[in-house]
């Protein structure tokens, strides 16, 4: 039987590279997608023939669509897992002291590339994954999205990042056990890591950062194992801190009416949107 196949975005560095190596150790073939062609190709060459580097800007739908098509063909027309992981910090500070003004005197828009890369791209990734996972011999597959602790708590230095990562937690929950994906054997879960030393962190921050607050990569790969090994687990957001995994629930309902809307009113919405 052919090996299972995964796509990992942001695979040239940090968590994506660790995911790639871990998936290889579990017998997967990995299509490594990254914006950084030099490093991505170098890593893929080092890791060997069970990897394929595909130069991809996840913010471009055309790039992601080409990535999925190429990975599916390379993998022998199967796609078992997606790690939608590529991410960047705030692309522009919303707090800038002077707003850039264009020739017509209008204030130039804020650069929202962070939303494109960190939120829109994983959503398009799930859209594409569904198309290919349905064609597997046993239809279905697993999506693991990299959100962040900033998907659970505000990070006032990076409000765009916070918005995107909160969005991923909501998206994951919506695509969970109550969604049609669950009936199709497509699971969607996300990880919310605390501080993991990678190239995402400004280099001058790493040396003075207190070691007792660093989450090791082994916790990140443990969370990947949890989602790969628990076939039906879906819609979960897991916070990763130090060596622990904390499954985080949505906020509680404040009253019986909201509980009814959240839990009992499903038929109204299904009728409305069908
Ligand atoms: N490091 C942490 O402490 C931490 C904590 C929580 C969440 N995360 C999340 O983990 C994910 C991985 O980040 P990391 O810490 O490994 O950082 P990293 O910078 O080491 O790796 C990110 C990779 O994504 C790639 N990338 C960036 N934009 C891209 C694009 N448009 N298209 C394709 N590839 C692109 C980069 O080239 C890089 O190789 C991100 O989503 C990040 O938000 C990181």
């Amino acid at each position: 039987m052919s090996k299972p196949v995964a796509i990992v975005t942001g695979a040239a560095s940090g968590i994506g590279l660790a995911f790639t190596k871990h998936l290889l150790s579990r017998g997967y073939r990995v299509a490594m997608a990254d914006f950084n062609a030099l490093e991505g190709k170098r890593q893929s060459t080092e890791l060997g023939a069970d990897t394929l580097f595909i130069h991809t800007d996840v913010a471009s739908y055309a790039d992601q669509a080409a990535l999925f098509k190429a990975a599916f063909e390379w993998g022998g027309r199967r796609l078992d897992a997606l790690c939608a992981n590529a991410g960047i910090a705030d692309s522009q500070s919303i707090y800038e002291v002077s707003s850039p003004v264009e020739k017509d005197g209008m204030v130039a828009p804020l650069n929202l590339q962070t939303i494109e890369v960190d939120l829109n791209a994983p959503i398009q990734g799930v859209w594409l994954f569904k198309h290919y996972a349905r064609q597997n011999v046993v239809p279905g597959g697993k999506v693991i999205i990299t959100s962040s602790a900033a998907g659970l708590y505000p990070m006032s230095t990076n409000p765009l990042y916070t918005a995107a990562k909160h969005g991923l937690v909501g998206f994951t929950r919506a695509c969970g056990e109550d969604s049609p994906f669950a009936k199709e054997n497509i699971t969607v879960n996300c990880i919310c890591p605390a501080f993991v030393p990678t190239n995402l962190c400004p280099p001058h921050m790493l040396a003075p950062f207190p070691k007792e607050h660093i989450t090791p990569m082994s916790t990140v790969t443990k969370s990947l194992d949890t989602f790969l090994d628990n076939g039906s687990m879906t819609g979960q957001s897991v916070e990763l801190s130090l060596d622990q995994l904390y499954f985080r629930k949505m906020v509680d309902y404040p009253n019986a009416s909201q509980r009814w809307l959240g839990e009992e009113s499903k038929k109204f919405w299904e009728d409305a949107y069908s």
Side-chain angles (χ1 to χ4, degrees):
M1 213 169 75
S2 64
K3 289 184 171 186
V5 177
I7 291 176
V8 177
T9 69
S13 169
I15 292 172
L17 183 58
F19 272 172
T20 300
K21 291 178 179 171
H22 196 67
L23 286 161
L24 290 172
S25 76
R26 288 184 60 119
Y28 278 74
R29 303 183 78 205
V30 183
M32 301 172 67
D34 206 288
F35 195 50
N36 183 342
L38 203 67
E39 193 53 19
K41 270 187 206 153
R42 194 183 72 76
Q43 293 290 354
S44 170
T45 306
E46 207 164 280
L47 291 169
D50 276 338
T51 67
L52 173 71
F53 176 71
I54 302 173
H55 186 217
T56 310
D57 175 0
V58 294
S60 151
Y61 179 74
D63 269 22
Q64 271 215 91
L67 160 71
F68 275 76
K69 189 169 185 297
F72 187 71
E73 297 300 337
W74 169 76
R77 299 188 64 78
R78 67 181 288 179
L79 184 58
D80 300 85
L82 164 67
C83 295
N85 166 78
I88 55 171
D90 276 22
S91 35
Q92 187 178 4
S93 171
I94 201 166
Y95 309 120
E96 272 180 15
V97 178
S98 56
S99 312
V101 176
E102 291 177 332
K103 280 195 201 109
D104 58 5
M106 303 288 256
V107 176
L110 181 67
N111 178 338
L112 293 180
Q113 182 70 358
T114 304
I115 305 293
E116 292 298 334
V117 175
D118 293 8
L119 179 61
N120 294 354
I123 294 173
Q124 295 287 17
V126 171
W127 167 253
L128 287 158
F129 183 78
K130 171 202 75 177
H131 175 79
Y132 292 99
R134 280 178 178 160
Q135 298 175 53
N136 287 332
V137 174
V138 178
K142 298 191 183 323
V143 178
I144 297 98
I145 296 173
T146 306
S147 175
S148 167
L152 302 167
Y153 315 109
M155 190 177 181
S156 51
T157 51
N158 281 260
L160 305 184
Y161 185 82
T162 301
K165 298 297 187 180
H166 270 68
L168 292 176
V169 171
F171 177 73
T172 298
R173 287 176 175 159
C175 293
E177 57 195 352
D178 285 344
S179 82
F181 281 158
K183 294 184 192 75
E184 292 194 76
N185 194 28
I186 293 174
T187 63
V188 181
N189 293 292
C190 75
I191 62 167
C192 303
F195 184 78
V196 183
T198 66
N199 289 326
L200 187 68
C201 320
H204 56 272
M205 190 180 149
L206 287 178
F209 200 85
K211 303 286 170 275
E212 67 272 23
H213 295 301
I214 286 181
T215 294
M217 203 56 95
S218 54
T219 308
V220 181
T221 51
K222 189 159 70 175
S223 70
L224 180 60
D225 284 336
T226 301
F227 291 133
L228 293 177
D229 293 340
N230 291 282
S232 58
M233 186 182 275
T234 188
Q236 297 297 317
S237 309
V238 66
E239 184 174 0
L240 314 180
S241 173
L242 308 178
D243 62 348
Q244 296 296 311
L245 312 188
Y246 300 94
F247 285 87
R248 300 305 303 263
K249 300 287 164 225
M250 64 174 200
V251 294
D252 200 5
Y253 298 111
N255 62 24
S257 174
Q258 285 295 76
R259 184 174 300 281
W260 179 87
L261 277 169
E263 291 176 0
E264 310 290 331
S265 70
K266 233 178 120 196
K267 194 180 170 325
F268 285 86
W269 301 108
E270 282 172 356
D271 288 350
Y273 287 101
S274 61

